[in-house]
Each structure stands twice: as structure tokens, then as C-alpha cells.
Amino acid sequence: MITVGLDVHESILSTSPRQRRDLLGRVHAAGLDHVVVADHVSFHGGRGFDGLVSATAALTSNDDLPVLLGVYQLALRHPTTVARQLASVSQLAPGRLILGVGVGGEDRSEPLNCGVDPSTRGRRLDESLRVLRALASGEAVDHSGEFFELKDARVLPAPTPRIPIVIGGSSAAAVRRTVRFGDGWLGIFCSARRFAATREQIAEVAQQEGRPLPSWYGLNLWCGIDTQASRARQLVAERMERLYHLPYEKFERLAPAGTPEQVGEWLLPYLEAGCEHFTLVATSTSWEAGVEYTAEVKRYLLEHAPA
């Protein structure tokens, strides 16, 4: 099953409640399957957006759309407080949140200013996931690890249904993390060839460790979309350079720009690589245009998907 969603975190944070309801209503009416919000604490000089706050705003502004949080900087928070937030979000919108987590790393000052040693971030994330999974059961948890100590810790009510966790990243550590803690894997800045190879690696590790094979495979894609390819490129370049403080040319190979048909065509190799869930961080002249063009990309993928 192919699903296509739209990243809305900047629109969520810059619009009124009525505008948010209109935006998400249009996303749903256009036939898109989900929306996505992002997360950073203090990125490249202080920019950021709290993923769970944005997810809550999206979930409570529409009664139907699922929300993917992709990806949440879990290693920069304490897993018990995150478990409480997730339990509360689940009460507000049960079964509609997918939690994506990743190790991050583009800006070393971000973890440092959260009291986290960047060199231990991967181990901290693994331990956080272990604790978060345990707390999600609603049972009392005793835990003594490298980073966290819990004694008779419990978070109630337990999320029902359980909140799926998907792992971002394509390193060997991310592959192991997906098998041990994840329900799926989310590719970010990833070529179609790398996507297929990572899926194969996940299957190999799952077999080696005797664990179930994760069933959810998705792609988070920065792109510019417009009726004019040159304008689409300018739009996405300006937005990415403003956030990442790097020239667009550093991302261009994995962040396409063009018409909806061109972006859809660019995504076809990912279908062949086993991707079923697409999220577009689509930069357009307006959010209304972004919704329209993303829906066109979905139609293109459905029409051209391998039989």
C-alpha cells in the first residue's frame, strides 16, 4: 500500500487555530494519508520546533489524519517524561501518532546545550528506547543503565493502541536499532540504492538475531514543487539553506526540485526499492499549493506503481 503525506510543521507553528483546521482539512480532502512534523531543540543558532507540541496541534486540529513525528530527538530528553507526553497524546488521539526517532548530529552544539555528550548520543538513544518501550506497557519498571536509573517507575494510562516507533538513519547502528526497538524504518537523505540496501541489511540482522522483520518502510524527502522547475529549485534552496546553513548543492542529489510529475518520476525508484510510505517536505509558493502539488505526486505514484 502506497501512502503519501505532507510535512506541515512550519505551517502548524505559524497559523491560527482556524487556519490550522483549514490546512489539515484540505490535506485530508486532497486524499493525502498523513501529515508530518519535525523536531529540534536548538539548531544552528537557536532555530527549533518541539515535535510533540506540533504533533498535538495537528492531531487536535483534525479528527482523521495520522501524524508522523519524523524525527524526534529522543536522546536529548529523559525517556520517562517522554513516556508521559506520549501517554497524554494517546489519550487525545488514540492510534493516530507514529513516533520517528533518530540520533541527529548535524549540529553538535544542540546535544551539548542539552547536557548530552555527542559521542554517547547513540548509546543514550538505545537506552532511551529500551526504557520507553518498557514504560509503554504500563507495568512498573526498574532500570539501571549507563544514563538512566528508574525504580518502580510507571506511566499510566498506557497508550492504547501502542504507539508505533520507526527509526531514522541508514548507519549500521540505525539498522540494529530498527531491528531491536523499531516497528519500521524511515529513510532520510537516502538514495533509492541506499534504501534498498538498508532494507536488505535490516532483514539480515533480524534473521541473525531471531527477531520479527519490521514491516513499515518510509522516506522523508525534502523537495521543491512548482509548475516551473526553476522556481521550485529556488524555493527549496532558500528554505534548506536557511535551516541547515549549507548551500543547496550539498543536498541537491537527494532533495529534488521540479513539477509534481518530475518529483513523482524521481520517486519511482524508491517504490522498486521497497518504500511504501512517502513524506514530502514540500516547498511551494504557499501551503495551499503544497497540498495540491503533493496530491498530484501521490496520483502519479499510484498510476505508475509496478503491478
Side-chain angles (χ1 to χ4, degrees), residues 96-304:
R96 290 172 51 211
L97 177 68
I98 299 173
L99 179 67
V101 300
V103 74
E106 300 96 339
D107 181 0
R108 286 176 62 85
S109 68
E110 185 172 40
L112 284 171
N113 289 330
C114 292
V116 175
D117 180 351
S119 68
T120 67
R121 189 170 42 206
R123 299 200 306 276
R124 184 182 173 97
L125 177 57
D126 288 345
E127 188 174 336
S128 294
L129 284 165
R130 188 174 293 111
V131 171
L132 198 63
R133 282 293 200 194
L135 290 171
S137 69
E139 300 297 322
V141 174
D142 291 321
H143 174 86
S144 179
E146 181 181 359
F147 304 101
F148 306 110
E149 295 281 339
L150 284 74
K151 183 173 178 57
D152 197 29
R154 177 175 284 179
V155 174
L156 297 173
T160 305
R162 186 175 63 81
I163 295 172
I165 295 175
V166 298
I167 307 298
S170 53
S171 66
V175 168
R176 293 192 299 272
R177 195 171 291 128
T178 299
V179 171
R180 294 172 184 174
F181 305 112
D183 300 289
W185 175 69
L186 179 64
I188 303 171
F189 293 122
C190 175
S191 68
R193 183 176 180 179
R194 183 69 176 272
F195 194 101
T198 302
R199 278 205 63 176
E200 292 176 1
Q201 291 164 10
I202 290 170
E204 290 171 3
V205 173
Q207 184 177 30
Q208 291 167 6
E209 299 196 1
R211 293 176 180 268
L213 182 65
S215 59
W216 191 102
Y217 294 89
L219 177 72
N220 206 20
L221 179 79
W222 277 89
C223 59
I225 314 181
D226 193 82
T227 54
Q228 298 179 28
S230 59
R231 185 165 56 190
R233 187 187 189 283
Q234 180 182 356
L235 289 167
V236 71
E238 290 175 352
R239 186 178 175 192
M240 295 190 77
E241 289 172 0
R242 188 168 61 248
L243 178 61
Y244 289 104
H245 292 194
L246 291 169
Y248 172 62
E249 287 73 18
K250 293 283 187 181
F251 305 99
E252 190 169 12
R253 185 175 65 87
L254 298 175
T259 65
E261 181 177 340
Q262 288 172 327
V263 173
E265 184 178 11
W266 192 92
L267 286 170
L268 288 179
Y270 289 88
L271 287 177
E272 298 171 2
C275 182
E276 293 184 320
H277 307 288
F278 296 88
T279 294
L280 304 191
V281 188
T283 304
S284 302
T285 53
S286 67
W287 63 257
E288 293 92 342
V291 172
E292 177 186 343
Y293 296 151
T294 302
E296 290 183 33
V297 171
K298 178 182 177 179
R299 287 193 290 272
Y300 184 93
L301 291 175
L302 292 174
E303 290 170 2
H304 294 82

Side-chain angles (χ1 to χ4, degrees), residues 44-125:
H44 284 314
R47 291 178 62 84
F49 14 82
D50 188 286
L52 280 172
V53 171
S54 298
T56 302
L59 289 164
T60 54
S61 297
N62 183 276
D63 293 334
D64 300 296
L65 283 169
V67 174
L68 168 64
L69 204 178
V71 293
Y72 189 62
Q73 305 296 317
L74 176 61
L76 306 187
R77 279 88 166 193
H78 193 289
T80 303
T81 58
V82 174
R84 168 49 62 203
Q85 289 176 288
L86 292 174
S88 296
V89 171
S90 181
Q91 287 181 278
L92 290 169
R96 290 172 51 211
L97 177 68
I98 299 173
L99 179 67
V101 300
V103 74
E106 300 96 339
D107 181 0
R108 286 176 62 85
S109 68
E110 185 172 40
L112 284 171
N113 289 330
C114 292
V116 175
D117 180 351
S119 68
T120 67
R121 189 170 42 206
R123 299 200 306 276
R124 184 182 173 97
L125 177 57

